[in-house]
Amino acid sequence: MDRYFPARPMPAYSYVPRRFPHPIGDPAGHSFNQPPPVVETMDPARWRESEPLLYGVDLFNHGYYWEAHETWEALWRVATAARVNEWPANADFFKGLIKLAAAGVKAREGRPIGTRRHAARAIQLVRVTRQRLGDTVRNYWGLSLAALEATAAEIVERGAGDDPTAQMAVKIVLPARLELQT
């Protein structure tokens, strides 16, 4: 599977609460004592320069849902702090990506209700983003808004590959792959 930011290696495991060491809080965690992602741009037109966006998509597509959530949260925090800037849709957009990743975490935990709830919230946030941007904007931060909404809707409708007994460190459980528009 191709990657958008191959310069950064994938973590040793995909974190699932109560199954693996907490990545940040446990000395055995894969990201213990590592600095948080650095956000260098909040301009959606410069999405190709956004390491947290690109790496987050890689993480999501490879089944590292908790890690994608954390990576995109760095972008969301900056967007929330600057909510009144010239791109007010950023905070809602990144929160939608975070909720989509959270659906993957819940699926890995074997919690189908939580999976569907997070995916449903992702739909709402993508719709708010679309409303803020207007009907002429189809892609935002390199991602198709319609495809994001459809992906989340499929998770709400069909659920995910819930398998709480899986012993794999990384498992893709969502019927989704995010594709950046090149």
Side-chain angles (χ1 to χ4, degrees):
M1 189 180 298
D2 290 337
R3 294 201 39 211
Y4 295 106
F5 195 77
R8 190 157 172 207
M10 293 295 190
Y13 59 89
S14 173
Y15 178 63
V16 178
R18 294 169 298 285
R19 279 199 225 154
F20 300 103
H22 190 279
I24 298 168
D26 188 318
H30 63 59
S31 298
F32 187 72
N33 278 340
Q34 289 187 7
V38 176
V39 177
E40 295 182 7
T41 181
M42 285 306 296
D43 180 351
R46 295 175 53 201
W47 63 267
R48 289 177 182 88
E49 301 168 32
S50 177
E51 179 181 329
L53 172 76
L54 300 173
Y55 189 56
V57 170
D58 283 346
L59 291 166
F60 182 90
N61 286 343
H62 287 83
Y64 294 87
Y65 303 112
W66 185 89
E67 292 78 6
H69 175 290
E70 288 295 305
T71 302
W72 288 329
E73 196 166 273
L75 290 159
W76 174 76
R77 284 185 184 154
V78 172
T80 300
R83 191 177 271 276
V84 295
N85 72 8
E86 60 192 278
W87 298 291
N90 281 347
D92 294 320
F93 175 76
F94 288 117
K95 189 65 166 185
L97 288 179
I98 289 166
K99 289 296 184 178
L100 197 58
V105 172
K106 293 301 177 189
R108 292 281 319 273
E109 289 180 296
R111 297 178 162 204
I113 293 171
T115 302
R116 287 182 171 95
R117 281 186 184 153
H118 282 295
R121 182 68 177 129
I123 292 169
Q124 292 171 342
L125 289 160
V126 170
R127 286 180 180 163
V128 168
T129 300
R130 290 173 83 173
Q131 290 169 354
R132 286 182 183 270
L133 295 172
D135 292 334
T136 60
V137 177
R138 303 273 186 244
N139 298 316
Y140 196 58
W141 283 91
L143 291 164
S144 163
L145 294 171
L148 280 176
E149 190 173 332
T151 294
E154 183 177 4
I155 294 166
V156 170
E157 178 69 26
R158 291 187 16 203
D162 304 326
D163 183 2
T165 63
Q167 297 300 311
M168 298 171 63
V170 179
K171 184 173 183 189
I172 298 169
V173 294
L174 296 180
R177 176 170 163 75
L178 303 180
E179 299 286 340
L180 291 167
Q181 308 299 306
T182 55

